[in-house]
């Protein structure tokens, strides 16, 4: 797909247990999307070393992770943008 549409961002949705070594070999991937259950600072730092855009999905707006989002993230994918926005606003006003 990347060959046919080189200007289009290609994303990989990471599943639990997917080895980082395998992801590193996928040079056609521009960004990585991971579920909130896989969200950890250590995991994000390892993904960030691959120089890919990272987004987290599955957030409802009540997660403790929203108190301080990792700087490695370029975005959040959610069905509840108003909740997320409010939670982030409160976190960054502290």
């Amino acid at each position: 797909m990347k060959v046919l549409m080189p200007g289009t961002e290609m994303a990989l949705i990471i599943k639990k247990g997917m080895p980082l070594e395998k992801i590193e070999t996928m040079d056609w991937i521009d960004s990585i999307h991971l579920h909130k259950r896989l969200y950890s600072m250590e995991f994000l730092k390892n993904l960030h070393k691959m120089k890919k855009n990272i987004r987290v999905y599955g957030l409802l707006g009540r997660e403790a992770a929203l108190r301080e989002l990792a700087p490695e993230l370029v975005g959040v994918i959610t069905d509840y943008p108003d909740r997320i926005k409010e939670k982030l606003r409160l976190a960054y006003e502290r």
Side-chain angles (χ1 to χ4, degrees), residues 11-29:
L12 174 69
I13 299 173
I14 294 183
K15 299 294 182 184
K16 185 178 178 183
M18 186 176 277
L20 291 175
E21 298 80 24
K22 181 177 180 180
I23 298 166
E24 285 177 316
T25 64
M26 300 176 176
D27 59 350
W28 54 272
I29 296 171

Side-chain angles (χ1 to χ4, degrees), residues 1 6 9-10 25 37 40 61 68 84 88-91:
M1 188 58 85
E9 182 177 354
M10 299 293 160
T25 64
R37 285 187 225 121
S40 75
E68 185 178 349
I84 301 292
L88 290 173
R89 184 187 67 76
L90 293 172

Side-chain angles (χ1 to χ4, degrees), residues 9-69:
E9 182 177 354
M10 299 293 160
L12 174 69
I13 299 173
I14 294 183
K15 299 294 182 184
K16 185 178 178 183
M18 186 176 277
L20 291 175
E21 298 80 24
K22 181 177 180 180
I23 298 166
E24 285 177 316
T25 64
M26 300 176 176
D27 59 350
W28 54 272
I29 296 171
D30 302 308
S31 56
I32 296 171
H33 296 179
L34 63 140
H35 193 272
K36 66 180 179 183
R37 285 187 225 121
L38 300 176
Y39 182 95
S40 75
M41 293 302 202
E42 182 180 343
F43 191 56
L44 286 174
K45 287 182 195 298
N46 287 329
L47 290 175
H48 190 65
K49 290 176 190 172
M50 295 181 204
K51 306 234 186 288
K52 310 285 185 194
N53 292 324
I54 305 167
R55 294 179 185 90
V56 64
Y57 69 91
L59 295 173
L60 303 174
R62 296 181 276 249
E63 293 80 6
L66 288 171
R67 289 189 193 116
E68 185 178 349
L69 283 179

